[in-house]
Amino acid sequence: MTFFAAWVGFPLLALIAAAGHGLLVERAAGVRLPGALLPPIGLAGVIVVAGLLTSAEALAPLAAPAVALVAAAGLVAGRERLADLRPAAPAAAAALGTALVQAGPALLAGGLTWPGYYSHDDTPNWLALADWTVHHGRTLDGLAPSTYEAALSLYVPTGYPVGSLLPLGLGGQALGTDLAWLYSPAMALFGAMLALALYAAAEP
């Protein structure tokens, strides 16, 4: 069940949220965006909404409900465009191919795993930041001294950019899944979004 949540539930939730935010951005901008560009623009919208709310400790718990509400509003407001959300075959192939290349090592292992682990501590620090920020914002008030607190204290007080980590943290919160198992699916998702954005930029 956790494997399903990580590799199916998380990407599906992220794509629904991205579609809703993308449609709302399109409506607010008053322009018709290429279909391939709606999900990447929408993912950026998710990061903006979550980033604004997690900038204050009192508002951080509202980030997930706000992202869901904005996504729902976008899907309702842009319901006539839902049929156009299916990307063209080449764009879909670029996105899926990129995601599979990134996800391949983890998926081929046949279970929940990381494809590799380095002595560098970026990955556990990112997981800690994603987990802490979506629950408590950008303050360490009330956090007892620990190795967890020591790791966070290197980043949170300095204004370290956490935008790219917010979809990961929100996904774990929504699915009740350990962020460690969502890390590889998140990287595959970001790769697919980048492929879609590059496809839209290169399209005549």
Side-chain angles (χ1 to χ4, degrees), residues 17 27 34 44 49 53 76 90 105 111 117-118 120 125 131 141 149 175-176 191:
R27 179 162 288 247
V49 171
L53 289 167
V76 170
Y117 190 81
Y118 302 96
H120 203 287
N125 288 343
D131 175 62
D141 292 348
E149 183 271 339
L175 295 168

Side-chain angles (χ1 to χ4, degrees), residues 169-191:
L170 293 172
Q173 195 176 22
L175 295 168
T177 303
D178 193 306
L179 297 190
W181 307 134
L182 298 184
Y183 184 77
S184 291
M187 293 302 102
L189 174 74
F190 292 147

Side-chain angles (χ1 to χ4, degrees), residues 72-133:
L75 290 170
V76 170
R79 57 190 177 279
E80 73 282 353
R81 279 274 276 148
L82 289 177
D84 299 331
L85 287 180
R86 186 173 58 191
L96 185 60
T98 303
L100 288 176
V101 166
Q102 290 195 262
L107 286 176
L108 291 174
L112 289 169
T113 186
W114 288 357
Y117 190 81
Y118 302 96
S119 58
H120 203 287
D121 60 1
D122 274 351
T123 303
N125 288 343
W126 290 336
L127 294 176
L129 279 168
D131 175 62
W132 179 263
T133 306

Side-chain angles (χ1 to χ4, degrees), residues 54 60-63 129-137 165-166 169-170 173:
T54 56
L62 300 177
L129 279 168
D131 175 62
W132 179 263
T133 306
V134 297
H135 291 97
H136 305 283
L165 303 174
L166 295 175
L170 293 172
Q173 195 176 22

Side-chain angles (χ1 to χ4, degrees), residues 128-154:
L129 279 168
D131 175 62
W132 179 263
T133 306
V134 297
H135 291 97
H136 305 283
R138 301 181 192 187
T139 176
L140 297 180
D141 292 348
L143 183 59
S146 62
T147 52
Y148 182 63
E149 183 271 339
L152 289 173
S153 67
L154 296 173

